[in-house]
């Protein structure tokens, strides 16, 4: 449930939005001809700041995705360089 009965975002939904917006973007130089990199980050609850394990993290519009680990961390490999949108789902 993303919203409570009053229409406000729940803690989980807020955490997802924060994780998606706050995802650290590290594009590696790698092979110039391939023009791909990696994105790493941590999914955490915005209220408790606790890591969120098992969240689905993926690059929008691609088949690139993973699950966050026990400490909420993730790494997405083979990401095309340039502006990228990362989406998180529980």
């Amino acid at each position: 449930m993303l919203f409570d009965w009053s229409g406000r975002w729940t803690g989980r939904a807020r955490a997802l939005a924060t994780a998606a917006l706050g995802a650290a973007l590290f594009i590696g130089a790698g092979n110039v001809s391939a023009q791909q990199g990696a994105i790493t980050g941590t999914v955490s609850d915005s209220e408790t700041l606790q890591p969120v394990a098992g969240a689905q993290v993926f690059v929008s519009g691609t088949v690139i995705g993973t699950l966050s680990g026990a400490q909420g961390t993730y790494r997405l490999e083979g990401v095309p360089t340039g502006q990228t949108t990362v989406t998180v789902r529980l």
Side-chain angles (χ1 to χ4, degrees), residues 18-68:
T18 300
L21 293 174
L25 178 63
F26 299 112
I27 301 296
N31 184 344
V32 175
S33 65
Q35 295 192 8
Q36 294 180 344
I39 298 174
T40 61
T42 302
V43 179
S44 59
D45 186 291
S46 65
E47 292 177 2
T48 66
L49 301 180
Q50 295 297 309
V52 177
Q56 297 175 0
V57 183
F58 56 95
V59 177
S60 297
T62 73
V63 296
I64 301 169
T66 191
L67 296 176
S68 60

